[in-house]
Amino acid sequence: MKLMDFLISDAIESDMKSTTKADAIRELVALLKNAGAITDANSVAEVVLEREELGTTGIGEGIAVPHGKSDAIAELVAAFGRSERGVDFESMDNQPVHLLFLLVAPKNYSGPHLMALARISRLLKNRDFRSSLMDAKDKAEILKVFEAEP
């Protein structure tokens, strides 16, 4: 499974404005809505925020992978955001998050959802991959990094 199998290219933000977890999730959900990948931004944001109440998806090293399952979509989709200044995501290492992947799957879609989470986590644990994303000048360069994923 490759990122581009589920990452919506029109749902990439190279300069996120949000500084809090809730706002960042809403900003990423809005990217999916504007790209036509989801039908109901409010319900998707609510599902992802409820999942965050169970425990942070800020996994450390400047990475967060908020996710959830919703009836507002028909297939697995993801949005990506980069924050230069960082988002307070209540991460496990208490550090700001700079790279955020929002993953949303249909309600009864466990296998591919878990595979996508594993793929994202594995890629973002790679320091060179993270550096390439942080060094990219704009959305087009970020997209090239994803298209050339190792």
Side-chain angles (χ1 to χ4, degrees):
M1 175 179 276
K2 294 279 205 180
L3 286 178
M4 294 310 299
D5 293 342
F6 54 88
L7 177 63
I8 307 299
S9 58
D10 288 335
I12 294 172
E13 176 57 61
S14 63
D15 185 22
M16 290 186 70
K17 307 298 183 242
S18 302
T19 58
T20 67
K21 178 194 292 198
D23 288 346
I25 288 170
R26 286 187 189 96
E27 187 174 348
L28 292 169
V29 168
L31 291 173
L32 289 173
K33 174 73 170 148
N34 294 339
I38 60 173
T39 57
D40 183 355
N42 289 332
S43 70
V44 171
E46 187 177 309
V47 164
V48 175
L49 289 166
E50 285 174 5
R51 163 58 191 86
E52 282 298 318
E53 289 177 13
L54 299 175
T56 186
T57 56
I59 59 176
E61 299 186 66
I63 304 163
V65 190
H67 57 275
K69 294 184 179 180
S70 171
D71 290 328
I73 60 166
E75 61 185 9
L76 182 69
V77 295
F80 173 79
R82 179 181 67 188
S83 172
E84 295 282 337
R85 71 177 158 249
V87 175
D88 178 5
F89 218 84
E90 302 164 8
S91 294
M92 292 179 193
D93 62 0
N94 294 315
Q95 296 300 308
V97 165
H98 299 280
L99 303 172
L100 298 96
F101 259 102
L102 171 69
L103 187 66
V104 186
K107 282 228 170 162
N108 296 317
Y109 206 74
S110 292
H113 176 82
L114 294 174
M115 287 173 51
L117 283 171
R119 181 70 185 145
I120 291 167
S121 296
R122 195 167 31 256
L123 280 172
L124 291 179
K125 287 294 182 182
N126 179 315
R127 184 176 307 190
D128 292 336
F129 190 75
R130 288 194 317 269
S131 293
S132 294
L133 289 172
M134 289 303 296
D135 293 342
K137 292 182 181 21
D138 55 23
K139 176 182 171 178
E141 285 192 17
I142 288 172
L143 189 56
K144 285 180 185 175
V145 171
F146 289 137
E147 289 171 342
E149 77 180 76

